[in-house]
Amino acid sequence: MLLWAALALSAIQAARAQSESISTVSVSTVVASPSASLDSPLPSQVPLPPPQAWCPSELFCAGEILQTVNIAGLYADPKTFVDKPTTKSASDVLADFGGLSGNSSLTEGDVTSFVDTDFAGEGLELEALVLADFNADPAFLGNVSDTLVRAWAQTVHGYWTQLIRTTNSSTLCDGVKCESSLIPLNHTFVVPGGRFREQYYWDSFWIVEGLLESELYDVVNATLQNFMDELETIGFIPNGGRIYYLNRSQPPLFTQMLARYVTVSGDNGILARALPLAEKEFTWWQENRIISVTSPTTGSTYQLARYSVNNTAPRPESYLTALDYTTANGPDVSPALNESQRSALYAELASGAESGWDYTARWFADAKPGDADLKQLNVRNTIPVDLNSILYKNHLLLAQLYASSNDSAASGHREAAAAIRTGILDLMWNSTKMAFYDFNLASAQQSSVFSAAAYYPYWSGIVPDQVLGSSENAFKAFAPLNLVLNRYNGTFPSTFLDTGLQWDYPNAWPPHQYILLQALRALPNNITSAALIAPLSNESTFNLLPQGQLGITETQLPGQTLHLGNNATGSGPGADINTLNGTIVNGGNATDGEGWADVLGRELANRYLTSAFCSWRATGGSIDGLVPRLSDQALNATNSVNNTGNMFEKFSSLDVDSAGRGGEYTVQAGFGWTNGVVLWVASVYGNVLVAPVCPVLEGETDASGDGSDTDAAYPSKGPFWVGLAFVVASVLTVNV
């Protein structure tokens, strides 16, 4: 723990230097709620997993304390416990637990008392900052034509003040008097929100995009400095700011954040420190995640990356409930897994988490609609198209950042990028289906799962020759987006497989909408200027897709729910319920001469903004003089009478006024990357954004003047919203 003591001391000193800008934060923590009565004995346990060399704590990493507390089921979210600093030294905590563990009749009450006595509230090591000289009217707002949209974008811009954090020097553990799972940081940062109370890696890319639009350059610089500190002290950028993330990274977007910051701010001075550390990150990925892959068609061998985490225990932050421990040892596991099989499964679960897509049927060897069995995870045998596209772009950006200062290094990165590009096009591009797919190492063939990852190559600058040579082919590559916008009420899903996993249908994530918009913008004008293709009068937008592109038939597509629980027509023109003359519902206004890519970009930008706005409004959001607060009767439908509007981490393809669902934790609000994408969309598409039209909630009687509508495509809102708002209220434990 010497490293963490040194980091803690450095962070304490840095926090004290910022003390004048610290705000008062009201912190409420989750109260232990055992899964049984206090006098009940603990459920039986499987043998402890082996200690994990990468996780330096006997309290918060694999071991008897972690497993016992989780078996007791004190908290609905396992992350709650591992985010609690101790109230005494680690040796004293171990001694106290040792007195308990010798008791053969250990009860729920014994464990509850132990945790209440020896651990403090989760998140107490961090505190909010007041942003000095915060500009409430940044320049990008001038890009937004619509009055309501501009006012709401300004409201979202103001949410940064609620998500800025720094280390709390008065409560930070030094590794001696107390112990914490926090990786202390020396600089300010933005948290995503909800249970994600630390700095996270890939979230920060979209947070940075928004911060740049908000002209918060110092916060972006501080974010990058934190990542550089981690590269110096840890050797790579971990998933997030806790020691239980030290065995995995996330999609490596540091170089892209750096490049965006330098481009927008003009701060080239950061490069002296940043460039060697960007190289260090490349080295970590090269040594730990890149393998040789031979093409079954050309025989060529490529150096490509995968997610592959060294892990043989349940993840501490997701130990029990519905996930790691239960997945490997639950009553439905038959026959029981042996130790080797459990270890392999734990490695797959951690690898899925490293991808950011935790979890999706995209990682299954044989994905099917409705199948959510995580024991089928095949992450380490998958070469992901999005990961390798990111690395390709990183190489090119790093070459550009070197400029003429290091011609040899720049040339090496351009050569590495070219090799990755060739590998992606060889292994992952399907010229018949006009789409990119992951490559499966075990079967030596492309995956059949079409996902939002298919658009990362375009964003990164990899456009196949077949697409460049034909406007028709270019549209076919983006035909799934056209289908979603016409067929469904919401935005683009991660996949078209409805499994109940949170990175599958119907969930639509803000980063993916950004990627799609950037992918459209990356196409040259000569293949995007033609008019949008329309289906024949007796067909739907599904018929515009190349055969087999989605891997499912039209009748296998999930249905769009209408009023009274009915589904829209499953095929034919009746399936495209959101099609209007020249546009779609909540797709903005058509203009003469729009090329098909501009149409899809306008429609998706408006639909995304509508999803974020309408879910915010449905949970109590309002703007004086523009967006009246809904009545208490209407807000009862979302259990939001005491709320002032939520920005959710994910949305739904089915609705524009509700969050996504499913997954290992309750839906989170805050939310860093959602806000960042809203601000980026407002800046880039501000001249084509129009006021959103939201569905009417149960109990809402006056739809005039507040962005609501009674369009029959929208389902009525009821029980799901009530449960969703309840769990969101339960997990929002820090209020600024």
Side-chain angles (χ1 to χ4, degrees), residues 81-329:
F81 171 67
V82 290
D83 288 359
K84 288 179 173 290
T86 66
T87 58
K88 55 186 70 173
S89 70
S91 60
D92 286 345
V93 174
L94 290 168
D96 290 347
F97 184 78
L100 290 180
S101 58
N103 182 354
S104 60
S105 58
L106 196 63
T107 67
E108 296 275 352
D110 293 332
V111 180
T112 300
S113 178
F114 162 69
V115 172
D116 287 346
T117 301
D118 285 32
F119 294 84
E122 64 276 8
L124 291 180
E125 317 100 320
L126 301 172
E127 57 190 349
L129 286 177
V130 172
L131 288 172
D133 302 321
F134 180 72
N135 179 10
D137 192 27
F140 85 87
L141 293 173
N143 299 342
V144 185
S145 303
D146 183 86
T147 301
L148 185 150
V149 174
R150 184 169 58 252
W152 186 64
Q154 187 171 32
T155 299
V156 175
H157 162 69
Y159 287 160
W160 295 130
T161 63
Q162 301 179 25
L163 296 172
I164 299 289
R165 297 289 184 271
T166 190
T167 301
N168 185 341
S169 61
S170 66
T171 60
L172 184 65
C173 289
D174 60 3
V176 179
K177 293 181 179 179
C178 63
E179 185 173 318
S180 166
S181 65
L182 184 73
I183 298 175
L185 301 176
N186 295 323
H187 308 275
T188 59
F189 55 95
V190 176
V191 298
R195 78 195 288 262
F196 302 112
R197 54 182 68 89
E198 314 78 24
Q199 179 169 282
Y200 280 80
Y201 189 3
W202 84 314
D203 292 68
S204 294
F205 174 85
W206 290 278
I207 289 172
V208 162
E209 285 287 75
L211 291 172
L212 291 173
E213 298 296 346
S214 294
E215 300 168 16
L216 293 170
Y217 305 130
D218 288 347
V219 180
V220 177
N221 184 292
T223 298
L224 294 170
Q225 296 295 341
N226 282 327
F227 287 141
M228 288 188 280
D229 289 347
E230 290 180 326
L231 284 166
E232 282 186 339
T233 57
I234 301 171
F236 72 103
I237 301 174
N239 183 148
R242 297 278 172 179
I243 62 172
Y244 48 72
Y245 292 134
L246 286 174
N247 66 338
R248 64 182 193 260
S249 188
Q250 271 193 323
L253 291 164
F254 168 74
T255 297
Q256 300 195 31
M257 286 184 263
L258 174 66
R260 284 285 291 144
Y261 168 70
V262 170
T263 299
V264 175
S265 71
D267 177 14
N268 290 297
I270 196 174
L271 295 177
R273 184 186 187 205
L275 290 177
L277 292 171
E279 294 283 7
K280 189 172 185 178
E281 183 179 39
F282 267 118
T283 298
W284 184 88
W285 281 86
Q286 179 69 45
E287 294 177 351
N288 294 278
R289 298 292 186 268
I290 291 179
I291 61 173
S292 297
V293 184
T294 300
S295 168
T297 54
T298 66
S300 299
T301 298
Y302 307 100
Q303 298 297 304
L304 297 173
R306 59 175 178 164
Y307 297 108
S308 182
V309 178
N310 180 20
N311 182 63
T312 58
R315 291 168 298 147
E317 80 281 8
S318 299
Y319 201 95
L320 182 66
T321 51
L323 264 180
D324 296 21
Y325 180 94
T326 305
T327 299
N329 304 288

Side-chain angles (χ1 to χ4, degrees), residues 80 86 169 199 254 277 284 340 377 502-503 566 577 639 670 672 674 697:
T80 301
T86 66
S169 61
Q199 179 169 282
F254 168 74
L277 292 171
W284 184 88
S340 176
L377 283 172
Q502 70 165 348
W503 287 86
N566 297 318
I577 61 172
N639 198 28
T674 304
L697 295 171

Side-chain angles (χ1 to χ4, degrees), residues 423-438:
I424 289 174
L425 291 171
D426 184 352
L427 295 170
M428 305 176 197
W429 169 246
N430 190 308
S431 59
T432 301
K433 298 178 181 180
M434 287 295 150
F436 287 97
Y437 301 87
D438 298 325

